[in-house]
Amino acid sequence: GGGCRAGFFTAVSETKAPRPLTIKCFAVLCVAAAFISLMRGLLDPFMAQGTLWGYTGVMLGEDEVIVALFSLFTIALIPIFWIYRMASRAARWVVVSFALFSLWLYIRNPAYIPAALLHDPMELAAPLLKIMSIALLFTPSANAYFRHWKGGADAEEMAQ
């Protein structure tokens, strides 16, 4: 055999459960939201620089902004992978908490939403996709998918 399967990864393995349509749609919507955020930042690095400065209080150079954008994109993909491939309940709550935090940034300044719609409607595309994807994580078939990993649901329940 090639390699040691010690530590954390011995307890985590890929689920063989069939993935319901809601989980597949969740993954597509999340990847789309992350990709939109990445592309918006790459197409307008000065806007991304201002946004990252607003989040962190650190002014990044153009190269650092690009590295940060790709880092954020990669970080967004990790819990999506864990949900899709391993039916991770913890990753579901990580996704929910990240999405709620990003939505809070919009909610704390409600005047920003109409301005964003007028200036750049794509600004709101990623948050809307996040809301839809989170809703999909709590459908009956998604709940059954997460239970199936623990042995509590059957395939008929997940197909609903």
Side-chain angles (χ1 to χ4, degrees):
C4 177
R5 292 192 38 93
F8 179 73
F9 290 103
T10 54
V12 177
S13 62
E14 182 178 335
T15 180
K16 302 298 184 213
R19 288 163 192 83
L21 182 60
T22 54
I23 294 298
K24 293 174 184 176
C25 290
F26 154 79
V28 168
L29 291 175
C30 280
V31 170
F35 186 73
I36 288 170
S37 296
L38 172 66
M39 292 310 298
R40 287 190 75 249
L42 291 175
L43 293 172
D44 189 355
F46 296 112
M47 178 273 309
Q49 185 180 41
T51 301
L52 291 168
W53 177 74
Y55 292 157
T56 64
V58 176
M59 184 56 75
L60 301 175
E62 192 170 346
D63 291 343
E64 295 165 321
V65 168
I66 292 169
V67 170
L69 289 170
F70 276 101
S71 298
L72 291 170
F73 178 72
T74 303
I75 290 167
L77 296 180
I78 294 169
I80 297 166
F81 173 82
W82 280 49
I83 289 170
Y84 188 80
R85 300 293 290 191
M86 295 179 241
S88 171
R89 292 178 180 183
R92 174 166 64 168
W93 291 107
V94 168
V95 169
V96 169
S97 62
F98 282 168
L100 290 177
F101 174 74
S102 67
L103 293 175
W104 174 78
L105 297 172
Y106 288 95
I107 293 170
R108 73 178 182 170
N109 188 4
Y112 179 73
I113 295 172
L117 283 173
L118 289 174
H119 173 67
D120 182 9
M122 287 304 290
E123 170 75 22
L124 299 177
L128 291 175
L129 290 174
K130 288 176 188 176
I131 291 169
M132 291 188 301
S133 68
I134 288 176
L136 290 173
L137 283 179
F138 294 94
T139 61
S141 61
N143 287 331
Y145 172 72
F146 290 109
R147 271 196 315 277
H148 180 77
W149 181 239
K150 298 290 185 189
D154 59 15
E156 285 182 18
E157 187 179 3
M158 286 190 293
Q160 296 177 356

